[in-house]
Amino acid sequence: MSEQAKVVHLFQRQEHLAPVNVPLQTAYDIEQFLYAEAELLDAWQFHDWLALMAPDVHYWAPVRVNRLAREMDREMYPPGTAAHFDENLQMLGERVNRLHTNMAWSETPPSRTRHLISNVRAHTTERDNEFDVQSSFHVYRTSSERHQDSVIGRRFDRLRQADSVYGFQIVSRTVVFDMATLLVKNLSLFY
């Protein structure tokens, strides 16, 4: 089962509520990494943000649909099917480069954002240097004179310890938006 399929399974089965089992210092370091990442995104330091990605990163957001309670296990599309985005390092790099060309019309003028990260929970994995991390996010964005929107959801990350200024790399990220219909103009930014 792929990492993304595991995330969909965990989300649907609520197994993500397991007790946190990482040392306190590691949990703190992971939180600080996520907060630093949020600051890079809010400051439009996208090339520095891209450096946080592992070479084998997978960054995706499955489409979510409203279901009856008895069908909740099918609320998210499985890996390889419908997704808001499904990217690797090269694709993320192309998006970052495009944002700096002044040709990304959805970001002219550039959005001002605030990434708020909370409810961070870290778990050990089968690898000593990797951790599964769940967090909640609220991305507030304003652009032009009167446009503003909010996107709220959860992230399921696989982080790998790295010899870098921030101490970790993002190996995979699954973004699960709380809303089934995204009421935003575009998804040109990162979550």
Side-chain angles (χ1 to χ4, degrees):
M1 183 181 293
S2 72
E3 286 303 314
Q4 289 71 34
K6 288 178 189 175
V7 168
V8 170
H9 175 75
L10 287 175
F11 186 80
Q12 293 165 341
R13 300 286 315 236
Q14 300 294 312
E15 293 172 15
H16 54 276
L17 300 176
V20 171
N21 64 355
V22 299
L24 188 58
Q25 183 63 48
T26 303
Y28 174 79
D29 293 343
I30 287 170
E31 287 178 352
Q32 294 307 305
F33 171 80
L34 295 176
Y35 301 153
E37 178 199 8
E39 287 182 8
L40 290 173
L41 290 170
D42 291 337
W44 273 64
Q45 299 297 314
F46 297 125
H47 288 290
D48 293 335
W49 173 79
L50 194 60
L52 301 179
M53 303 299 136
D56 55 338
V57 69
H58 187 225
Y59 181 86
W60 79 302
V63 169
R64 186 176 199 176
V65 294
N66 293 323
R67 297 279 187 192
L68 298 172
R70 66 179 178 265
E71 299 173 330
M72 290 296 287
D73 61 335
R74 294 185 302 144
E75 118 179 75
M76 288 191 302
Y77 276 77
T81 61
H84 295 291
F85 47 80
D86 188 354
E87 300 169 312
N88 59 25
L89 185 60
Q90 178 183 347
M91 297 163 86
L92 288 170
E94 290 169 5
R95 281 182 61 194
V96 165
N97 289 335
R98 186 170 184 277
L99 286 170
H100 291 289
T101 64
N102 296 322
M103 297 299 287
W105 299 113
S106 62
E107 290 303 325
T108 303
S111 296
R112 291 177 297 280
T113 62
R114 187 67 52 219
H115 286 72
L116 304 175
I117 309 300
S118 68
N119 301 10
V120 178
R121 297 174 52 82
H123 304 275
T124 59
T125 68
E126 65 282 356
R127 296 185 178 189
D128 291 340
N129 66 337
E130 291 186 358
F131 303 91
D132 285 334
V133 180
Q134 300 131 43
S135 59
S136 297
F137 69 88
H138 179 172
V139 178
Y140 172 79
R141 174 174 61 176
T142 181
S143 62
S144 303
E145 293 202 17
R146 293 189 174 95
H147 178 78
Q148 60 183 328
D149 56 46
S150 288
V151 178
I152 299 169
R154 299 188 71 194
R155 300 185 312 191
F156 296 85
D157 295 338
R158 171 67 61 105
L159 300 184
R160 180 182 298 144
Q161 289 178 318
D163 187 21
S164 66
V165 65
Y166 296 109
F168 294 94
Q169 287 183 318
I170 299 171
V171 177
S172 67
R173 170 164 290 165
T174 300
V175 178
V176 178
F177 297 114
D178 280 350
M179 57 288 286
T181 301
L182 297 177
L183 303 175
V184 296
K185 289 183 180 181
N186 58 63
L187 291 173
S188 61
L189 299 176
F190 304 100
Y191 298 92

